[in-house]
Amino acid sequence: MIWSKVNLGNIFFEEKKFEQAREYFRNSLKLRIELGDMLGIAYSLLSVNSILEKENKSLNSAKILGIFKNIIDSIGLDEGNHEFNTSLCKAKNNYT
């Protein structure tokens, strides 16, 4: 169910329907929070951040990226970690 919401958010994002995309990304974030899925929460934050970047909301984007970095640090992933880099590159490629 979470991935369905993410996929729908991605479709809306590609269509530049950012409000609809934001809603799906937020819903997936809420579900991941309920499950305690820290890596999933980090990925969802990147999805929300992609919209903020498109909307030129750099202050909000910086806050989201700071939270993302804190989560990644707390679960033991760092910038030298393959999974971290793959995820970040994938997110950047999907949303730029």
Side-chain angles (χ1 to χ4, degrees):
M1 182 154 103
I2 293 171
W3 284 109
S4 297
K5 292 183 182 297
V6 171
N7 289 336
L8 288 168
N10 288 335
I11 291 168
F12 283 118
F13 183 86
E14 289 298 318
E15 294 176 352
K16 297 184 181 4
K17 296 179 179 176
F18 299 130
E19 284 305 313
Q20 291 95 330
R22 184 186 335 268
E23 188 65 29
Y24 281 101
F25 292 152
R26 283 184 178 163
N27 285 334
S28 72
L29 176 60
K30 287 178 188 176
L31 289 171
R32 287 173 164 164
I33 290 170
E34 288 175 17
L35 294 172
D37 176 9
M38 296 308 288
L39 188 57
I41 292 167
Y43 291 153
S44 290
L45 289 172
L46 285 179
S47 296
V48 172
N49 184 66
S50 64
I51 295 171
L52 295 172
E53 287 179 349
K54 291 291 185 182
E55 295 174 336
N56 294 316
K57 295 182 178 176
S58 55
L59 181 59
N60 290 340
S61 175
K63 290 177 184 178
I64 294 288
L65 289 176
I67 295 167
F68 167 80
K69 179 73 169 116
N70 286 338
I71 290 171
I72 292 300
D73 289 346
S74 76
I75 59 177
L77 296 179
D78 60 34
E79 293 171 15
N81 182 286
H82 175 72
E83 187 174 356
F84 173 87
N85 284 322
T86 301
S87 301
L88 192 55
C89 288
K90 183 178 177 186
K92 293 238 179 245
N93 288 335
N94 284 341
Y95 302 115
T96 56

Coordinates of all heavy atoms in Angstrom, one line a residue:
M1 N 0.8 -1.2 0.0 CA 0.0 0.0 0.0 C 0.9 1.3 0.0 O 0.5 2.2 -0.7 CB -0.9 0.0 1.2 CG -1.9 1.2 1.2 SD -3.4 0.9 2.1 CE -3.0 1.7 3.6
I2 N 2.0 1.2 0.8 CA 2.8 2.4 0.8 C 3.4 2.7 -0.6 O 3.4 3.8 -1.1 CB 4.0 2.2 1.8 CG1 3.4 2.2 3.2 CG2 5.0 3.3 1.7 CD1 4.3 1.8 4.3
W3 N 3.9 1.6 -1.2 CA 4.5 1.8 -2.5 C 3.5 2.3 -3.6 O 3.9 3.0 -4.5 CB 5.3 0.6 -3.0 CG 6.5 0.4 -2.3 CD1 6.9 -0.5 -1.3 CD2 7.7 1.3 -2.4 NE1 8.1 -0.2 -0.8 CE2 8.7 0.8 -1.5 CE3 8.0 2.4 -3.2 CZ2 9.9 1.4 -1.3 CZ3 9.2 3.0 -3.0 CH2 10.2 2.5 -2.1
S4 N 2.2 1.9 -3.4 CA 1.2 2.4 -4.3 C 1.1 3.9 -4.2 O 1.0 4.6 -5.2 CB -0.1 1.7 -4.0 OG -0.1 0.3 -4.3
K5 N 1.1 4.4 -3.0 CA 1.0 5.8 -2.7 C 2.2 6.5 -3.3 O 2.1 7.6 -3.9 CB 0.8 6.1 -1.3 CG -0.5 5.6 -0.7 CD -0.7 6.0 0.7 CE -2.0 5.5 1.3 NZ -3.2 6.0 0.7
V6 N 3.4 5.9 -3.1 CA 4.6 6.5 -3.6 C 4.6 6.6 -5.2 O 4.9 7.6 -5.8 CB 5.9 5.8 -3.2 CG1 7.1 6.2 -3.9 CG2 6.0 5.9 -1.7
N7 N 4.1 5.5 -5.8 CA 4.1 5.4 -7.2 C 3.1 6.5 -7.8 O 3.4 7.1 -8.8 CB 3.7 4.0 -7.7 CG 4.9 3.1 -7.5 OD1 6.0 3.4 -7.4 ND2 4.5 1.8 -7.4
L8 N 1.9 6.6 -7.1 CA 1.0 7.6 -7.6 C 1.5 9.0 -7.4 O 1.3 9.9 -8.2 CB -0.4 7.4 -6.8 CG -1.2 6.2 -7.2 CD1 -2.3 6.0 -6.2 CD2 -1.7 6.4 -8.6
G9 N 2.2 9.2 -6.3 CA 2.9 10.5 -6.1 C 3.9 10.8 -7.1 O 4.0 11.9 -7.6
N10 N 4.6 9.8 -7.5 CA 5.6 10.0 -8.6 C 4.9 10.3 -9.9 O 5.5 11.2 -10.7 CB 6.5 8.7 -8.8 CG 7.4 8.5 -7.7 OD1 7.9 9.4 -7.0 ND2 7.8 7.2 -7.5
I11 N 3.8 9.7 -10.2 CA 3.1 10.0 -11.5 C 2.6 11.4 -11.5 O 2.8 12.2 -12.4 CB 1.9 9.0 -11.6 CG1 2.4 7.6 -11.9 CG2 0.9 9.5 -12.7 CD1 1.4 6.5 -11.9
F12 N 2.0 11.9 -10.3 CA 1.6 13.3 -10.2 C 2.8 14.2 -10.3 O 2.7 15.3 -10.9 CB 0.8 13.5 -9.0 CG -0.6 13.0 -9.1 CD1 -1.1 12.0 -8.2 CD2 -1.5 13.5 -10.0 CE1 -2.4 11.5 -8.3 CE2 -2.8 13.0 -10.1 CZ -3.3 12.1 -9.2
F13 N 3.9 13.8 -9.7 CA 5.1 14.7 -9.7 C 5.5 14.9 -11.2 O 5.8 16.0 -11.6 CB 6.2 14.1 -8.9 CG 7.4 15.0 -8.8 CD1 7.5 16.0 -7.9 CD2 8.5 14.8 -9.7 CE1 8.6 16.8 -7.8 CE2 9.6 15.6 -9.7 CZ 9.7 16.6 -8.8
E14 N 5.6 13.8 -11.9 CA 6.0 13.9 -13.3 C 5.1 14.7 -14.2 O 5.5 15.4 -15.1 CB 6.1 12.5 -13.9 CG 7.3 11.6 -13.4 CD 8.6 12.3 -13.7 OE1 8.8 12.8 -14.8 OE2 9.5 12.3 -12.8
E15 N 3.8 14.7 -13.8 CA 2.8 15.6 -14.5 C 2.8 17.0 -14.0 O 2.0 17.8 -14.4 CB 1.5 14.9 -14.4 CG 1.3 13.6 -15.1 CD 0.0 12.9 -14.9 OE1 -0.8 13.4 -14.1 OE2 -0.2 11.9 -15.5
K16 N 3.7 17.3 -13.1 CA 3.8 18.6 -12.4 C 2.6 19.0 -11.7 O 2.2 20.2 -11.5 CB 4.2 19.7 -13.5 CG 5.6 19.4 -14.1 CD 6.0 20.5 -15.0 CE 7.3 20.4 -15.7 NZ 8.1 19.2 -15.6
K17 N 1.9 18.0 -11.1 CA 0.7 18.2 -10.3 C 1.2 18.0 -8.8 O 1.0 17.0 -8.2 CB -0.4 17.2 -10.6 CG -0.9 17.5 -12.0 CD -2.0 16.5 -12.4 CE -2.5 16.7 -13.8 NZ -3.5 15.7 -14.1
F18 N 1.9 19.1 -8.4 CA 2.6 19.0 -7.1 C 1.7 18.8 -5.9 O 2.1 18.2 -4.9 CB 3.6 20.2 -7.0 CG 4.6 20.2 -8.1 CD1 4.9 21.4 -8.8 CD2 5.3 19.1 -8.4 CE1 5.8 21.4 -9.8 CE2 6.3 19.1 -9.4 CZ 6.5 20.3 -10.1
E19 N 0.6 19.4 -5.9 CA -0.3 19.3 -4.7 C -0.8 17.9 -4.5 O -0.8 17.3 -3.4 CB -1.5 20.3 -4.8 CG -1.1 21.7 -4.5 CD -0.4 21.9 -3.1 OE1 -0.9 21.3 -2.1 OE2 0.6 22.5 -3.1
Q20 N -1.1 17.2 -5.7 CA -1.6 15.8 -5.6 C -0.4 14.9 -5.2 O -0.5 14.0 -4.4 CB -2.2 15.4 -6.9 CG -3.5 16.0 -7.3 CD -3.3 17.2 -8.1 OE1 -2.3 17.9 -8.1 NE2 -4.4 17.5 -8.9
A21 N 0.8 15.2 -5.8 CA 2.0 14.4 -5.5 C 2.3 14.6 -4.0 O 2.6 13.6 -3.3 CB 3.2 14.9 -6.3
R22 N 2.2 15.8 -3.5 CA 2.5 16.0 -2.1 C 1.6 15.2 -1.2 O 2.0 14.7 -0.2 CB 2.4 17.5 -1.8 CG 2.8 17.9 -0.4 CD 2.6 19.4 0.0 NE 2.5 20.3 -1.1 CZ 3.6 21.0 -1.5 NH1 4.8 20.8 -1.0 NH2 3.4 21.8 -2.5
E23 N 0.3 15.2 -1.5 CA -0.6 14.4 -0.7 C -0.3 12.9 -0.6 O -0.3 12.3 0.4 CB -2.0 14.6 -1.3 CG -3.1 14.0 -0.4 CD -3.2 14.7 0.9 OE1 -2.9 15.9 1.1 OE2 -3.7 14.0 1.9
Y24 N 0.1 12.4 -1.8 CA 0.5 10.9 -1.8 C 1.8 10.7 -1.0 O 1.9 9.7 -0.3 CB 0.5 10.4 -3.2 CG -0.8 10.1 -3.7 CD1 -1.4 10.9 -4.6 CD2 -1.5 8.9 -3.4 CE1 -2.7 10.7 -5.1 CE2 -2.7 8.6 -3.9 CZ -3.4 9.5 -4.7 OH -4.6 9.2 -5.2
F25 N 2.7 11.6 -1.2 CA 4.0 11.5 -0.5 C 3.8 11.6 1.0 O 4.4 10.9 1.8 CB 5.0 12.5 -1.0 CG 5.5 12.2 -2.4 CD1 5.9 13.3 -3.2 CD2 5.5 11.0 -3.0 CE1 6.4 13.1 -4.5 CE2 6.0 10.8 -4.2 CZ 6.4 11.8 -5.0
R26 N 3.0 12.5 1.4 CA 2.7 12.7 2.9 C 2.0 11.5 3.4 O 2.3 11.1 4.6 CB 1.9 14.0 3.1 CG 2.7 15.2 3.0 CD 1.8 16.4 3.4 NE 2.6 17.7 3.3 CZ 2.1 18.9 3.3 NH1 0.8 19.0 3.2 NH2 2.8 19.9 3.2
N27 N 1.1 10.9 2.7 CA 0.4 9.7 3.1 C 1.3 8.6 3.3 O 1.2 7.8 4.3 CB -0.8 9.3 2.2 CG -2.0 10.3 2.3 OD1 -2.2 10.9 3.3 ND2 -2.7 10.4 1.2
S28 N 2.2 8.4 2.4 CA 3.2 7.3 2.5 C 4.1 7.6 3.7 O 4.5 6.7 4.5 CB 4.0 7.2 1.3 OG 5.0 8.2 1.0
L29 N 4.5 8.9 3.9 CA 5.3 9.3 5.1 C 4.6 8.9 6.4 O 5.2 8.3 7.3 CB 5.6 10.7 5.0 CG 6.4 11.3 6.2 CD1 7.7 10.6 6.4 CD2 6.6 12.8 6.0
K30 N 3.3 9.2 6.5 CA 2.5 8.9 7.7 C 2.5 7.4 8.0 O 2.6 7.0 9.1 CB 1.1 9.5 7.6 CG 1.0 11.0 7.6 CD -0.5 11.4 7.4 CE -0.5 12.9 7.3 NZ -1.9 13.4 7.0
L31 N 2.3 6.6 6.9 CA 2.2 5.2 7.1 C 3.6 4.7 7.6 O 3.7 3.8 8.5 CB 1.8 4.5 5.8 CG 0.4 4.7 5.4 CD1 0.1 4.1 4.0 CD2 -0.5 4.0 6.4
R32 N 4.7 5.2 7.0 CA 6.0 4.8 7.4 C 6.3 5.2 8.9 O 7.0 4.4 9.6 CB 7.0 5.3 6.4 CG 6.9 4.6 5.1 CD 7.8 5.2 4.1 NE 8.0 4.2 3.0 CZ 8.4 4.6 1.8 NH1 8.8 5.8 1.5 NH2 8.6 3.6 0.8
I33 N 5.8 6.3 9.3 CA 6.0 6.7 10.6 C 5.3 5.8 11.6 O 5.8 5.3 12.6 CB 5.5 8.2 10.8 CG1 6.5 9.2 10.2 CG2 5.4 8.5 12.3 CD1 6.0 10.6 10.1
E34 N 4.0 5.4 11.2 CA 3.3 4.5 12.0 C 4.0 3.1 12.2 O 3.9 2.5 13.2 CB 1.9 4.3 11.4 CG 0.9 5.4 11.6 CD -0.4 5.3 10.9 OE1 -0.7 4.1 10.5 OE2 -1.1 6.3 10.6
L35 N 4.6 2.7 11.1 CA 5.4 1.4 11.1 C 6.7 1.5 11.7 O 7.4 0.5 12.0 CB 5.5 0.9 9.7 CG 4.2 0.5 9.0 CD1 4.5 0.2 7.5 CD2 3.6 -0.7 9.7
G36 N 7.2 2.7 12.0 CA 8.6 2.9 12.5 C 9.6 2.6 11.5 O 10.8 2.3 11.9
D37 N 9.3 2.7 10.2 CA 10.3 2.4 9.1 C 11.2 3.6 8.9 O 10.8 4.5 8.1 CB 9.5 2.0 7.9 CG 10.3 1.8 6.7 OD1 11.6 1.7 6.8 OD2 9.7 1.6 5.6
M38 N 12.3 3.7 9.6 CA 13.1 4.9 9.5 C 13.7 5.1 8.1 O 13.8 6.3 7.7 CB 14.3 4.8 10.6 CG 13.8 4.8 12.0 SD 12.6 6.2 12.4 CE 13.8 7.5 12.4
L39 N 14.2 4.1 7.5 CA 14.7 4.2 6.1 C 13.6 4.7 5.2 O 13.8 5.6 4.4 CB 15.3 3.0 5.6 CG 16.1 3.1 4.3 CD1 17.2 4.1 4.4 CD2 16.7 1.7 3.9
G40 N 12.4 4.1 5.3 CA 11.3 4.6 4.5 C 10.9 6.0 4.8 O 10.5 6.7 3.9
I41 N 11.0 6.4 6.0 CA 10.7 7.8 6.4 C 11.7 8.7 5.7 O 11.3 9.7 5.1 CB 10.8 8.0 7.9 CG1 9.6 7.3 8.6 CG2 10.8 9.5 8.3 CD1 9.7 7.2 10.1
A42 N 12.9 8.3 5.7 CA 14.0 9.1 5.0 C 13.7 9.2 3.5 O 13.7 10.3 2.9 CB 15.3 8.5 5.2
Y43 N 13.3 8.1 2.9 CA 12.9 8.1 1.5 C 11.7 9.0 1.2 O 11.7 9.8 0.2 CB 12.6 6.7 0.9 CG 13.8 5.8 0.9 CD1 13.7 4.5 1.0 CD2 15.1 6.3 0.7 CE1 14.7 3.6 0.9 CE2 16.2 5.4 0.7 CZ 16.0 4.1 0.8 OH 17.1 3.2 0.7
S44 N 10.7 8.9 2.1 CA 9.5 9.8 1.9 C 9.9 11.3 2.0 O 9.3 12.1 1.3 CB 8.5 9.4 2.9 OG 7.9 8.1 2.6
L45 N 10.8 11.6 2.9 CA 11.2 13.0 3.1 C 11.9 13.5 1.8 O 11.7 14.6 1.4 CB 12.2 13.1 4.3 CG 11.5 13.0 5.6 CD1 12.5 13.0 6.7 CD2 10.5 14.1 5.9
L46 N 12.7 12.6 1.2 CA 13.3 13.0 -0.1 C 12.2 13.3 -1.2 O 12.4 14.2 -2.0 CB 14.3 11.9 -0.6 CG 15.6 11.8 0.1 CD1 16.4 10.7 -0.5 CD2 16.4 13.1 0.0
S47 N 11.2 12.5 -1.2 CA 10.1 12.7 -2.1 C 9.4 14.1 -1.9 O 9.2 14.9 -2.8 CB 9.0 11.6 -2.0 OG 9.6 10.4 -2.4
V48 N 9.1 14.4 -0.6 CA 8.5 15.7 -0.3 C 9.5 16.8 -0.6 O 9.1 17.8 -1.2 CB 8.1 15.7 1.2 CG1 7.7 17.1 1.6 CG2 7.0 14.7 1.5
N49 N 10.8 16.6 -0.4 CA 11.8 17.6 -0.7 C 11.8 17.9 -2.2 O 12.1 19.0 -2.5 CB 13.1 17.1 -0.2 CG 14.2 18.2 -0.4 OD1 14.1 19.2 0.2 ND2 15.1 17.9 -1.3
S50 N 11.6 16.9 -3.0 CA 11.7 17.1 -4.4 C 10.7 18.1 -4.9 O 10.9 18.9 -5.7 CB 11.5 15.8 -5.2 OG 10.2 15.3 -5.0
I51 N 9.5 18.1 -4.2 CA 8.5 19.1 -4.6 C 8.9 20.5 -4.1 O 8.8 21.5 -4.8 CB 7.1 18.7 -3.9 CG1 6.6 17.4 -4.6 CG2 6.1 19.8 -4.1 CD1 5.4 16.8 -3.9
L52 N 9.5 20.6 -2.9 CA 9.9 21.8 -2.3 C 11.0 22.4 -3.2 O 11.0 23.7 -3.5 CB 10.5 21.7 -0.9 CG 9.4 21.2 0.1 CD1 10.2 20.9 1.4 CD2 8.4 22.3 0.3
E53 N 11.9 21.6 -3.8 CA 12.9 22.1 -4.7 C 12.3 22.7 -6.0 O 12.7 23.7 -6.4 CB 13.9 21.0 -5.0 CG 14.8 20.7 -3.9 CD 15.8 19.6 -4.2 OE1 15.6 18.9 -5.2 OE2 16.7 19.4 -3.4
K54 N 11.3 22.0 -6.5 CA 10.6 22.5 -7.7 C 9.9 23.8 -7.5 O 9.7 24.6 -8.3 CB 9.6 21.4 -8.3 CG 10.3 20.2 -8.8 CD 11.0 20.5 -10.1 CE 11.6 19.3 -10.7 NZ 12.3 19.5 -11.9
E55 N 9.4 23.9 -6.2 CA 8.7 25.2 -5.9 C 9.6 26.3 -5.4 O 9.2 27.3 -4.9 CB 7.7 24.8 -4.8 CG 6.6 23.9 -5.3 CD 5.6 23.4 -4.2 OE1 6.0 23.4 -3.0 OE2 4.5 23.1 -4.5
N56 N 10.9 26.0 -5.4 CA 11.9 27.0 -5.0 C 11.8 27.4 -3.5 O 12.0 28.5 -3.2 CB 11.9 28.2 -5.9 CG 12.4 27.9 -7.3 OD1 13.4 27.2 -7.5 ND2 11.7 28.4 -8.3
K57 N 11.4 26.4 -2.7 CA 11.2 26.7 -1.3 C 12.5 26.1 -0.6 O 12.5 25.1 0.2 CB 10.0 26.0 -0.7 CG 8.7 26.6 -1.4 CD 7.5 26.0 -0.8 CE 6.2 26.7 -1.4 NZ 5.0 26.0 -1.0
S58 N 13.6 26.9 -0.8 CA 14.9 26.4 -0.3 C 15.0 26.3 1.2 O 15.7 25.4 1.7 CB 16.0 27.2 -0.9 OG 15.8 28.6 -0.6
L59 N 14.4 27.2 1.9 CA 14.5 27.1 3.4 C 13.8 25.8 3.9 O 14.4 25.1 4.7 CB 13.9 28.3 4.1 CG 13.9 28.3 5.6 CD1 15.3 28.3 6.1 CD2 13.2 29.6 6.1
N60 N 12.6 25.5 3.4 CA 11.9 24.3 3.8 C 12.7 23.1 3.3 O 12.7 22.1 4.0 CB 10.5 24.3 3.3 CG 9.6 25.3 3.9 OD1 9.9 25.8 5.0 ND2 8.5 25.7 3.3
S61 N 13.2 23.2 2.1 CA 14.0 22.1 1.6 C 15.2 21.8 2.5 O 15.5 20.6 2.8 CB 14.5 22.4 0.2 OG 15.3 21.4 -0.3
A62 N 15.9 22.8 2.9 CA 17.1 22.6 3.8 C 16.7 22.0 5.1 O 17.4 21.1 5.6 CB 17.7 24.0 4.0
K63 N 15.5 22.3 5.6 CA 15.0 21.7 6.9 C 14.8 20.2 6.7 O 15.2 19.4 7.5 CB 13.8 22.4 7.4 CG 14.0 23.8 7.9 CD 12.7 24.4 8.3 CE 12.9 25.9 8.7 NZ 11.6 26.5 9.1
I64 N 14.1 19.9 5.6 CA 13.8 18.5 5.3 C 15.1 17.7 5.1 O 15.2 16.6 5.6 CB 12.9 18.4 4.0 CG1 11.5 19.0 4.3 CG2 12.8 16.9 3.5 CD1 10.6 18.2 5.2
L65 N 16.0 18.3 4.3 CA 17.3 17.5 4.1 C 18.0 17.3 5.4 O 18.7 16.3 5.6 CB 18.1 18.3 3.1 CG 17.6 18.2 1.6 CD1 18.5 19.0 0.7 CD2 17.5 16.7 1.2
G66 N 17.9 18.3 6.3 CA 18.6 18.2 7.6 C 17.9 17.0 8.4 O 18.7 16.2 9.0
I67 N 16.6 16.9 8.4 CA 15.9 15.8 9.0 C 16.3 14.5 8.4 O 16.6 13.5 9.1 CB 14.4 16.0 9.0 CG1 14.0 17.2 9.8 CG2 13.7 14.7 9.5 CD1 12.6 17.7 9.6
F68 N 16.4 14.5 7.1 CA 16.8 13.3 6.3 C 18.2 12.8 6.8 O 18.4 11.7 7.1 CB 16.8 13.6 4.8 CG 17.5 12.6 4.0 CD1 16.9 11.4 3.6 CD2 18.8 12.8 3.5 CE1 17.5 10.4 2.9 CE2 19.4 11.8 2.8 CZ 18.8 10.6 2.4
K69 N 19.1 13.8 6.8 CA 20.5 13.4 7.2 C 20.5 12.9 8.6 O 21.2 11.9 8.9 CB 21.4 14.7 7.1 CG 22.8 14.5 7.5 CD 23.6 13.7 6.4 CE 25.0 13.7 6.7 NZ 25.6 12.4 7.0
N70 N 19.7 13.5 9.6 CA 19.7 13.0 10.9 C 19.2 11.5 11.0 O 19.7 10.7 11.8 CB 18.8 13.9 11.8 CG 19.5 15.2 12.1 OD1 20.7 15.3 12.1 ND2 18.7 16.2 12.5
I71 N 18.2 11.2 10.2 CA 17.6 9.9 10.2 C 18.7 8.9 9.7 O 18.9 7.8 10.2 CB 16.3 9.8 9.4 CG1 15.2 10.5 10.1 CG2 15.9 8.3 9.1 CD1 14.0 10.7 9.3
I72 N 19.3 9.3 8.5 CA 20.3 8.4 7.9 C 21.5 8.2 8.9 O 21.9 7.0 9.1 CB 20.8 9.0 6.6 CG1 19.7 9.0 5.6 CG2 22.1 8.3 6.1 CD1 19.2 7.7 5.2
D73 N 21.9 9.2 9.6 CA 22.9 9.1 10.6 C 22.5 8.1 11.8 O 23.2 7.3 12.3 CB 23.3 10.4 11.2 CG 24.1 11.3 10.2 OD1 24.6 10.8 9.2 OD2 24.2 12.5 10.5
S74 N 21.2 8.3 12.2 CA 20.7 7.5 13.3 C 20.6 6.0 13.0 O 20.7 5.2 13.9 CB 19.4 8.1 13.8 OG 18.3 7.7 12.9
I75 N 20.4 5.7 11.8 CA 20.3 4.2 11.4 C 21.6 3.7 10.9 O 21.7 2.5 10.5 CB 19.2 3.9 10.4 CG1 19.3 4.7 9.1 CG2 17.8 4.2 11.1 CD1 18.2 4.4 8.1
G76 N 22.7 4.5 11.0 CA 24.0 4.0 10.7 C 24.4 4.0 9.2 O 25.4 3.4 8.8
L77 N 23.6 4.7 8.4 CA 24.1 4.9 7.0 C 24.8 6.2 6.9 O 24.5 7.2 7.6 CB 22.9 4.9 6.1 CG 22.1 3.6 6.0 CD1 20.9 3.8 5.0 CD2 22.9 2.5 5.5
D78 N 25.8 6.2 6.1 CA 26.5 7.5 5.9 C 26.8 7.6 4.4 O 26.4 6.8 3.6 CB 27.8 7.5 6.6 CG 28.8 6.4 6.3 OD1 28.9 6.0 5.1 OD2 29.5 6.0 7.2
E79 N 27.4 8.7 4.0 CA 27.6 9.1 2.6 C 28.5 8.1 1.9 O 28.5 8.0 0.7 CB 28.0 10.5 2.5 CG 27.0 11.5 2.9 CD 27.5 12.9 3.0 OE1 28.5 13.2 2.5 OE2 26.7 13.7 3.6
G80 N 29.2 7.3 2.6 CA 30.1 6.3 2.0 C 29.4 4.9 1.8 O 29.9 4.0 1.2
N81 N 28.1 4.9 2.3 CA 27.3 3.6 2.3 C 26.7 3.5 0.9 O 26.1 4.4 0.4 CB 26.3 3.7 3.4 CG 25.5 2.4 3.4 OD1 24.6 2.2 2.6 ND2 25.7 1.6 4.4
H82 N 26.8 2.3 0.3 CA 26.3 2.1 -1.0 C 24.7 2.3 -1.1 O 24.2 3.0 -2.0 CB 26.6 0.7 -1.5 CG 26.0 0.3 -2.8 ND1 26.4 0.8 -4.0 CD2 24.9 -0.5 -3.1 CE1 25.6 0.4 -5.0 NE2 24.7 -0.4 -4.4
E83 N 24.0 1.8 -0.1 CA 22.6 2.0 -0.1 C 22.2 3.4 0.0 O 21.3 3.9 -0.6 CB 22.0 1.2 1.1 CG 20.4 1.2 1.1 CD 19.9 0.3 2.1 OE1 20.6 -0.4 2.8 OE2 18.6 0.3 2.2
F84 N 22.9 4.2 0.9 CA 22.6 5.6 1.0 C 22.8 6.3 -0.3 O 22.0 7.1 -0.8 CB 23.6 6.2 2.0 CG 23.5 7.7 2.1 CD1 22.5 8.3 2.9 CD2 24.3 8.5 1.4 CE1 22.5 9.7 3.0 CE2 24.3 9.9 1.5 CZ 23.3 10.5 2.3
N85 N 24.0 6.1 -1.0 CA 24.3 6.8 -2.2 C 23.3 6.4 -3.3 O 22.9 7.2 -4.1 CB 25.7 6.5 -2.7 CG 26.7 7.3 -1.9 OD1 26.4 8.5 -1.5 ND2 27.8 6.7 -1.5
T86 N 23.0 5.1 -3.4 CA 22.1 4.6 -4.4 C 20.7 5.3 -4.3 O 20.1 5.8 -5.2 CB 21.9 3.1 -4.4 OG1 23.2 2.5 -4.5 CG2 20.9 2.6 -5.4
S87 N 20.2 5.4 -3.0 CA 18.9 6.0 -2.7 C 18.9 7.4 -3.1 O 18.0 8.0 -3.7 CB 18.6 5.8 -1.3 OG 18.5 4.4 -1.0
L88 N 20.0 8.1 -2.7 CA 20.0 9.6 -2.9 C 20.1 9.9 -4.4 O 19.4 10.7 -4.9 CB 21.2 10.2 -2.1 CG 21.3 11.7 -2.1 CD1 20.0 12.3 -1.5 CD2 22.5 12.1 -1.2
C89 N 21.0 9.1 -5.1 CA 21.1 9.3 -6.6 C 19.8 9.0 -7.3 O 19.4 9.7 -8.2 CB 22.2 8.4 -7.1 SG 23.8 8.9 -6.7
K90 N 19.1 7.9 -6.8 CA 17.8 7.6 -7.4 C 16.8 8.7 -7.2 O 16.1 9.1 -8.2 CB 17.3 6.3 -6.9 CG 16.0 5.8 -7.5 CD 15.6 4.5 -6.9 CE 14.3 4.1 -7.5 NZ 13.7 2.9 -6.9
A91 N 16.8 9.2 -6.0 CA 15.8 10.3 -5.7 C 16.1 11.5 -6.6 O 15.2 12.1 -7.1 CB 15.9 10.6 -4.2
K92 N 17.4 11.9 -6.6 CA 17.8 13.1 -7.4 C 17.4 12.9 -8.9 O 17.0 13.8 -9.6 CB 19.2 13.4 -7.2 CG 19.6 13.8 -5.8 CD 20.2 15.1 -5.9 CE 20.5 15.6 -4.5 NZ 19.7 16.7 -4.1
N93 N 17.7 11.7 -9.4 CA 17.4 11.4 -10.8 C 15.9 11.4 -11.1 O 15.5 11.8 -12.2 CB 18.0 10.1 -11.3 CG 19.5 10.1 -11.4 OD1 20.1 11.2 -11.6 ND2 20.2 9.0 -11.2
N94 N 15.1 10.9 -10.2 CA 13.7 10.8 -10.4 C 13.0 12.2 -10.3 O 12.0 12.4 -10.9 CB 13.0 9.9 -9.3 CG 13.3 8.5 -9.6 OD1 13.6 8.1 -10.7 ND2 13.1 7.7 -8.6
Y95 N 13.6 13.1 -9.6 CA 12.9 14.4 -9.3 C 13.6 15.6 -9.8 O 13.2 16.7 -9.5 CB 12.7 14.5 -7.8 CG 12.0 13.3 -7.2 CD1 12.6 12.4 -6.3 CD2 10.7 13.1 -7.6 CE1 11.9 11.3 -5.8 CE2 10.0 12.0 -7.1 CZ 10.6 11.1 -6.2 OH 9.9 10.1 -5.8
T96 N 14.6 15.5 -10.6 CA 15.2 16.7 -11.2 C 14.9 16.8 -12.7 O 14.4 15.9 -13.3 CB 16.7 16.7 -11.0 OG1 17.3 15.5 -11.5 CG2 17.1 16.8 -9.5

